[in-house]
Amino acid sequence: MASIINKDSKLTELPTFNAGESDFLSLIHSDFHYVDKTNFIEKWWNSGNKVSLIVRPRRFSKTTILSMVYHLFQGIDFNYLFKGTYIQKNMPADLVGALGNVNSVLLTFKDISGKTPKKLFDGLRALLVPVYLDYAEYTKEFSEYYGQAPVKGEDLDSCGELLTRLSNFLQFVHKKTSKKFIVLVDEYDKFLADAAKVSEEAGSSYFEDVLDMYRSFLTTMFKDTVFIERAILTGVMPLAANSVMSAFNNAVKDTFFSSKYEDIFGFTEDEVAAIFSGFDWKPGDDSLERLDGYSSGSIVVYNPWSIVNLTEQLRTKSEHASNSWITSGNSDWIEYGKDLEAKDVDVIYSLISGNEYTVRINHELNYLDRRDSLDNFLTHAFYTGYLTFSGSTADTASLIIPNDEVQEAWVSNLHRLVVPKHVRFNWSKVLEQMDESSEFAERLEGELSNLLDDCTSSWDLVDKENSYHMWVLGMLSTLSGTHKVASNREAGDGRYDIAVTPVSGKVMRNYVFELKKSNSQQALDTDTEVAVNQVLDNRYYKFFNNKYDMVVVGIAAYKKHVKVKIKVVSYKELTQDMKLFGE
């Protein structure tokens, strides 16, 4: 059986987790550890909500929580299944009476593709199989009454027919058993996200058509139906009330802004402290600083996926924490689809620099709405986990990037927001060939001046230093995959502008870019000198945790004129500098 961890646990060594397993029963039967989240059962049941819609980013334990509720009602011995957990000692009395007197069904939409009607149909048909297996004794009679389920479907009408059939089957079983259903829907909005992507790319009404079909199902399943005792739906987005939510207007939405389940979806600070209680760790450790938490109600929670992967990295003594959560998803979240105005560029720059920005939150955001305005785009980034909030009102939220890992994701995808899609040269080769010669600097100056001349008419990037910063940062973000790009981090005695660290390649060197906005064309040469000296004097090399040489690139710009100065500093020279400071 799994070893249970709660906030009061004192471990003697790092726990072991089964990171790839989300089924609660399998976790409990394993030899791994399980962070006790069974208090969700008490909170959920005592809420009295017939339909709960719980919205959280991916990898925040939504699937495992639903699996836990599903197995609770599956007739497994309660004391065996929940031995040593919170709910074993705090089971609501009326819930004890409900066990054995209700049915449960778990519908997992997370693996269903909504990109075409055929793929959607095939996914929905596969979804019916485990439901029929759970209640196999009723499938034959049901089919005799309702007919056989369609085997193939090429249109949304066929998909709707399958969903209607699912609702009819549960109603049929209810009549046969006199038991109501606990209906659990995991990732209810996943195939809607797929459909929105298709509509965005093709400019079609496909998303609206899928939404119409889905709305009809939700109405049949959840709106004033007598065969449903309780229902929980989880997903990433709180889709618009005038689209999906109107189909079950008795649903109660719960997001990171809510306090009801604030300690459930994510590991609390006490739980994280318990996880690392058997390890030589203290608050402020560099690995955990990369994983600063998310605001949840009135507390802070950590992404479970990142914490679980961090324990494994510490166990294997990996030198650096990897971007485990970022690499487990795609980069669709950053697609905006509009040219950013100068004020919008300033907002993105401010966020990447670690500042907060207040938006009017669209609590009924639709997948297509994210392209309508910068506020909607940032709201979408919040719901998908790429921003958190530092404060909120009923209508607004002060958003901020939650941690270093997510900040790197913003930087590595920045070229999709703020630079031309086609850059005329390969930045990886530019870095490899970079030297201190005036010839190379002049060539780079010419390329940058030409690019600046081509792209700034629509962006108006020439008024502020941060505009040039964002422009260069966006181009360097195309290095994602071969290099790590970071912006505005504290290092040494100050904050550098842009740091680039190689992950792979022929030439392994670190790079620091320092940018200056000159007040005149005549000041460009002086300002590049100032930029290079600032990097050296403030010891920005302390950011790098390797033994590579460092290339300092000072860039000064005045309107559309650019000047570059490059200095290469060997690791031996840096080592001597470290000795001077007693490092």
Side-chain angles (χ1 to χ4, degrees), residues 536 539 541 572-582:
L536 300 176
R539 301 181 297 146
Y541 62 78
K572 182 178 180 181
E573 292 176 88
L574 294 175
T575 304
Q576 292 172 345
D577 184 58
M578 293 176 197
K579 290 179 180 177
L580 285 175
F581 285 92

Side-chain angles (χ1 to χ4, degrees), residues 9 13 58 105 151 153 187 203 231 302 310 332 336 386 445:
S9 296
E13 59 184 4
R58 59 186 168 81
V105 60
V151 177
E187 303 295 354
Y302 287 82
L310 177 58
D332 290 350
Y336 180 38
Y386 292 90
E445 288 166 2

Side-chain angles (χ1 to χ4, degrees), residues 62-222:
K62 300 188 298 292
T63 301
T64 303
I65 295 295
L66 287 194
S67 175
M68 174 181 70
V69 176
Y70 169 72
H71 289 297
L72 172 68
F73 292 99
Q74 282 295 296
I76 302 172
D77 180 75
F78 173 79
N79 288 316
Y80 168 76
L81 186 62
F82 293 97
K83 182 179 180 180
T85 65
Y86 172 90
I87 197 63
Q88 186 183 34
K89 297 179 181 179
N90 298 277
M91 187 70 163
D94 57 336
L95 178 53
V96 173
L99 297 182
N101 294 310
V102 294
N103 296 314
S104 67
V105 60
L106 176 59
L107 308 172
T108 302
F109 285 84
K110 66 179 181 178
D111 296 321
I112 296 178
S113 172
K115 293 182 178 179
T116 67
K118 183 182 185 307
K119 288 182 177 180
L120 181 55
F121 177 90
D122 292 343
L124 292 174
R125 195 169 191 280
L127 182 74
L128 291 174
V129 174
V131 179
Y132 286 156
L133 288 176
D134 276 350
Y135 301 98
E137 63 267 39
Y138 305 107
T139 56
K140 182 178 180 181
E141 186 179 356
F142 174 77
S143 295
E144 290 174 351
Y145 187 81
Y146 283 93
Q148 294 295 324
V151 177
K152 294 182 179 180
E154 303 286 344
D155 53 37
L156 293 179
D157 287 342
S158 300
C159 298
E161 184 178 347
L162 283 183
L163 288 172
T164 299
R165 186 178 181 86
L166 171 62
S167 178
N168 288 339
F169 181 68
L170 298 186
Q171 188 169 9
F172 184 83
V173 174
H174 162 63
K175 289 182 177 179
K176 290 294 180 180
T177 63
S178 298
K179 294 180 180 180
K180 293 185 177 183
F181 270 92
I182 305 292
V183 178
L184 310 167
V185 183
D186 188 28
E187 303 295 354
Y188 85 105
D189 56 339
K190 193 274 178 184
F191 68 79
L192 292 174
D194 293 340
K197 179 77 170 174
V198 172
S199 283
E200 288 172 344
E201 293 176 349
S204 68
S205 63
Y206 178 63
F207 174 74
E208 296 297 335
D209 295 338
V210 172
L211 202 57
D212 285 342
M213 178 271 297
Y214 197 35
R215 184 188 299 113
S216 178
F217 160 68
L218 293 173
T219 301
T220 303
M221 177 70 85
F222 297 111

Side-chain angles (χ1 to χ4, degrees), residues 22 41 65 98 126 148 187 202 233 262 264 331 361 450 467 486 501 552 566 569:
S22 57
I41 295 172
I65 295 295
Q148 294 295 324
E187 303 295 354
L233 297 90
E262 62 183 8
I264 301 297
S331 56
I361 286 284
N450 289 335
S467 298
T501 313
V552 182
I566 300 168
V569 186

